Amino acid sequence: MQMRTNIKDMRDNIDALNGLFHFLRNKNHIKKHVYENLDVIDNFVKNAEILIAQKEEQDKILADLSLRHELISSLLAAQVQNKGVMMFHETLNADYMEFANADDTLANEAEIFLQLQNIEKELSIIAACPELYQKNIIAVGGGFSAGKSEFISSFMGSGVKLPISIEPTTAIPAYVMNASKEYLLGYSKNGGAVDLRKIDKNFHAKLNHDFMKGFKFNLKEILPFIVLGTKLKFENICFIDTPGYNPSGNIANYGADIDTAKEFLEEAGVFLWLVGLDSTGTMPSGDLEFLSSLDLENKKLYVVINKADLRAPSDLEAITETVRQNLDNYGINYEGIQTFSSVRTLENPCIVGKSLDEFLTECDKPSQKHVEIFNKLKNIYQAYKGAIEGSIKEKKSIQKTLHSISVDMLEDGLEDMGSNAYTKLGELKSAFGTKKEEENLKLLKVAMDKFKEAVKTVFGLDDVPIDFDKVEKKVDLKKIDSENINDNIKIFFENLYISASNPKRGSIENMISDVSNSFDLEDLECKENQNSQHDRNIITAKDIR
């Protein structure tokens, strides 16, 4: 029995050896088969990686599309909820427009309308973001890559930072101010507010030009600005991060950055201008020309020579002096100049005039935004009122002169009140009537009273007396001058007074008839306004700004 078992084991071993001999004889074939399978597996892995990458790209595209869709739908759905802002908007588009369409005494009416639109925008921000009420707004401007966003971020105490890049980054102007709780709000064109963090927690980092290109339209048309509340070194300052005025690239929307930068810089009463030392060793001529194009009257400008850490300390003094000379040569007034680094503290910064810290500390005081807005409205009211009253005064002077001529004619024996001469004089008096101007003054006061009530409602002001008729700065309206009158009337007056010493009935009647027929009496009022409005010494748009 044992022998049989051994024989069986021997046969199994022989079979195993035969299998081994067969494997060894066919090992090359097996090896080839294994390699072929490995190639198949390798190709499968590569294809799988490609598919995974494609899916990730599609997921990213889908996420971006979803983000853009949610942003657009949220902005379009956002409505102004503040009663005061709605009152201002309705007054601007109804009462003011009724007045403006009736009045033609002010030459720069288009600028006035833009100023009123800007006031509405300010009220919208304040209504949706009450913290802005007591902030002093400082616009931060400069060329592309001057380091504006990084400069503002250097004053932030939280982990939130404005996005920076070697490519143009700031696409939407951002208001950045101190707040106890972080938030990011986007504002629609009609003043409605959207919580952007509910759409994406890192939304502020996505608002660059690359993101905007995906919309196939200018996003700023429906999202003109955002507000970022965060921990800031200066409690009462609100920085505006504006796009570079000279962005690189050939994308059409980049051109709008210039207009956006100019708009926000001209609106601010205080602004910082940054010069980046990574791209130039001094202040570029483009910066100087752009600053010269701005209305800097009654504004405070501070020049920051940024990225000073990229230059040798021995070079900074010469660079600062060159910047100072360039500003002086262009006649640009400034509060001070200082070298600065957003990434590290400079031990001995070069300073001309006030230091940056001194300047910002002076600005770090609660503002009275409602007073600023009331003053803007008051200046607009006074400009219109001065122009209208100037027109009334001129017309009454002309009427008085015409009446004096009538009296002189009676005294000189021209007693036929039904004659052609008296008829024409009557028509001239009617042409210089003041009824239209007096009605327009009433319309102006109605619109301004509604504007005042709207502003009071936004700020929650009740019994605050606001007198727009009280003038601290006297508006000097010129007395009537013959140069302000239609040339034909001027010649008529001169000749009539000459002939008064030796009147001849026929010559006077003919003279009145000729001068009356030389212009359209119905159009006289408009012509007279057009000839005189540019000569009046009234408060201009420059005074208002």
Side-chain angles (χ1 to χ4, degrees):
M1 190 68 177
Q2 181 65 36
M3 185 176 292
R4 287 182 181 179
T5 302
N6 293 336
I7 293 173
K8 184 177 181 301
D9 291 340
M10 291 176 63
R11 284 178 177 175
D12 291 341
N13 290 333
I14 291 171
D15 290 338
L17 289 172
N18 286 333
L20 178 60
F21 291 149
H22 177 76
F23 171 77
L24 293 174
R25 285 196 297 268
N26 296 281
K27 66 177 180 178
N28 290 333
H29 174 74
I30 295 172
K31 182 179 179 181
K32 179 180 179 183
H33 182 69
V34 170
Y35 282 139
E36 287 176 352
N37 288 336
L38 288 175
D39 289 340
V40 171
I41 294 172
D42 186 53
N43 289 332
F44 175 81
V45 171
K46 289 180 179 178
N47 290 332
E49 290 175 346
I50 293 173
L51 290 173
I52 291 172
Q54 290 176 344
K55 183 179 183 303
E56 289 176 350
E57 182 65 24
Q58 290 175 350
D59 288 344
K60 183 178 181 300
I61 293 172
L62 183 62
D64 284 346
L65 287 174
S66 177
L67 178 65
R68 291 187 176 94
H69 176 269
E70 188 173 357
L71 175 63
I72 292 172
S73 60
S74 298
L75 288 170
L76 295 179
Q79 299 294 326
V80 179
Q81 301 297 326
N82 186 274
K83 181 181 177 182
V85 176
M86 290 189 286
M87 287 172 58
F88 195 97
H89 180 78
E90 291 169 0
T91 303
L92 178 60
N93 290 281
D95 300 85
Y96 170 77
M97 291 306 298
E98 180 185 357
F99 158 74
N101 289 332
D103 180 71
D104 55 9
T105 57
L106 202 59
N108 58 331
E109 198 160 51
E111 293 182 31
I112 297 292
F113 183 69
L114 290 176
Q115 290 171 40
L116 289 170
Q117 285 184 318
N118 288 334
I119 291 175
E120 181 183 358
K121 183 173 69 176
E122 284 186 79
L123 293 175
S124 297
I125 301 172
I126 292 168
C129 190
E131 293 92 339
L132 190 63
Y133 172 33
Q134 293 184 330
K135 306 297 183 183
N136 277 315
I137 296 177
I138 300 179
V140 180
F144 158 63
S145 191
K148 298 181 292 296
S149 298
E150 191 173 28
F151 172 81
I152 296 175
S153 293
S154 69
F155 297 105
M156 294 182 185
S158 66
V160 177
K161 302 294 180 183
L162 294 173
I164 58 174
S165 171
I166 59 173
E167 296 296 328
T169 304
T170 304
I172 303 292
Y175 289 81
V176 183
M177 60 185 174
N178 184 66
S180 57
K181 183 179 179 180
E182 289 186 355
Y183 56 82
L184 182 65
L185 301 176
Y187 288 84
S188 64
K189 197 68 175 180
N190 63 2
V194 175
D195 187 346
L196 297 178
R197 286 197 164 186
K198 288 184 178 180
I199 299 176
D200 190 298
K201 291 184 178 180
N202 295 315
F203 199 96
H204 69 284
K206 298 180 182 295
L207 280 176
N208 54 39
H209 284 286
D210 288 337
F211 177 73
M212 291 182 64
K213 283 187 291 185
F215 286 93
K216 307 302 179 184
F217 69 92
N218 189 357
L219 182 62
K220 279 181 278 192
E221 293 177 359
I222 62 172
L223 180 64
F225 57 90
I226 63 174
V227 174
L228 173 61
T230 185
K231 188 65 178 176
L232 203 63
K233 178 181 177 181
F234 300 100
E235 183 178 354
N236 299 300
I237 287 178
C238 173
F239 291 112
I240 307 179
D241 186 20
T242 64
Y245 78 93
N246 58 344
S248 63
N250 298 316
I251 298 176
N253 285 349
Y254 281 8
D257 286 353
I258 301 173
D259 296 331
T260 301
K262 192 168 186 177
E263 174 191 352
F264 278 83
L265 288 171
E266 288 196 329
E267 282 182 23
V270 180
F271 66 97
L272 302 171
W273 188 263
L274 269 62
V275 179
L277 291 185
D278 55 340
S279 58
T280 177
T282 183
M283 194 168 191
S285 59
D287 285 24
L288 295 163
E289 291 168 3
F290 184 81
L291 285 172
S292 297
S293 72
L294 299 176
D295 179 13
L296 301 179
E297 188 173 351
N298 299 321
K299 295 180 183 293
K300 292 183 178 180
L301 166 67
Y302 196 96
V303 178
V304 178
I305 303 176
N306 199 25
K307 303 183 182 180
D309 55 290
L310 300 179
R311 298 281 175 166
S314 57
D315 296 335
L316 294 178
E317 186 174 345
I319 292 173
T320 304
E321 176 61 19
T322 302
V323 170
R324 184 196 66 78
Q325 291 177 1
N326 289 338
L327 290 167
D328 291 344
N329 290 338
Y330 272 78
I332 298 173
N333 296 322
Y334 52 88
E335 297 288 315
I337 306 170
Q338 180 177 319
T339 55
F340 184 84
S341 171
S342 299
V343 296
R344 65 179 179 86
T345 302
L346 300 181
E347 292 184 3
N348 296 300
C350 298
I351 300 172
V352 175
K354 298 176 182 177
S355 70
L356 178 61
D357 189 68
E358 180 184 359
F359 177 73
L360 292 176
T361 300
E362 288 179 0
C363 297
D364 190 24
K365 297 175 182 177
S367 69
Q368 293 184 306
K369 184 61 66 174
H370 67 285
V371 175
E372 293 179 23
I373 292 177
F374 278 133
N375 282 334
K376 290 178 182 179
L377 288 173
K378 182 176 181 178
N379 286 335
I380 291 173
Y381 172 75
Q382 288 293 339
Y384 272 121
K385 183 183 177 184
I388 294 172
E389 289 182 343
S391 178
I392 291 174
K393 187 172 183 178
E394 289 182 358
K395 287 188 174 184
K396 286 186 175 180
S397 295
I398 293 173
Q399 286 180 338
K400 184 177 179 180
T401 302
L402 291 172
H403 177 72
S404 177
I405 292 171
S406 299
V407 173
D408 289 344
M409 289 169 62
L410 283 173
E411 291 177 350
D412 291 330
L414 300 176
E415 300 177 352
D416 185 4
M417 302 299 292
S419 67
N420 185 55
Y422 281 105
T423 300
K424 295 297 183 182
L425 280 175
E427 292 175 352
L428 285 171
K429 290 179 182 179
S430 298
F432 286 103
T434 60
K435 182 179 179 180
K436 175 184 174 183
E437 282 80 1
E438 290 166 357
E439 290 178 349
N440 287 344
L441 269 179
K442 294 178 181 178
L443 290 175
L444 173 64
K445 290 182 179 180
V446 168
M448 284 297 162
D449 284 343
K450 290 186 177 182
F451 279 139
K452 285 190 285 186
E453 289 306 313
V455 175
K456 287 182 180 180
T457 302
V458 171
F459 288 99
L461 305 174
D462 296 323
D463 300 326
V464 179
I466 307 295
D467 186 4
F468 281 4
D469 286 297
K470 183 180 179 181
V471 183
E472 287 79 10
K473 180 179 179 180
K474 186 177 179 181
V475 180
D476 184 18
L477 300 173
K478 288 196 300 184
K479 294 182 178 181
I480 185 67
D481 185 88
S482 60
E483 293 181 359
N484 291 332
I485 309 174
N486 181 283
D487 288 341
N488 289 324
I489 301 177
K490 172 186 171 183
I491 296 171
F492 166 68
F493 285 161
E494 290 175 348
N495 291 336
L496 197 56
Y497 281 123
I498 292 173
S499 64
S501 59
N502 186 22
K504 295 180 181 180
R505 181 182 183 89
S507 64
I508 293 177
E509 289 185 350
N510 291 336
M511 191 183 305
I512 294 174
S513 178
D514 291 342
V515 74
S516 298
N517 293 329
S518 65
F519 51 80
D520 185 357
L521 287 175
E522 294 181 358
D523 192 43
L524 177 60
E525 183 176 345
C526 179
K527 288 182 179 178
E528 187 272 328
N529 284 334
Q530 291 174 348
N531 288 336
S532 63
Q533 63 188 359
H534 297 291
D535 295 326
R536 300 191 192 107
N537 185 15
I538 62 172
I539 298 174
T540 64
K542 184 175 289 187
D543 296 317
I544 294 171
R545 287 195 294 266

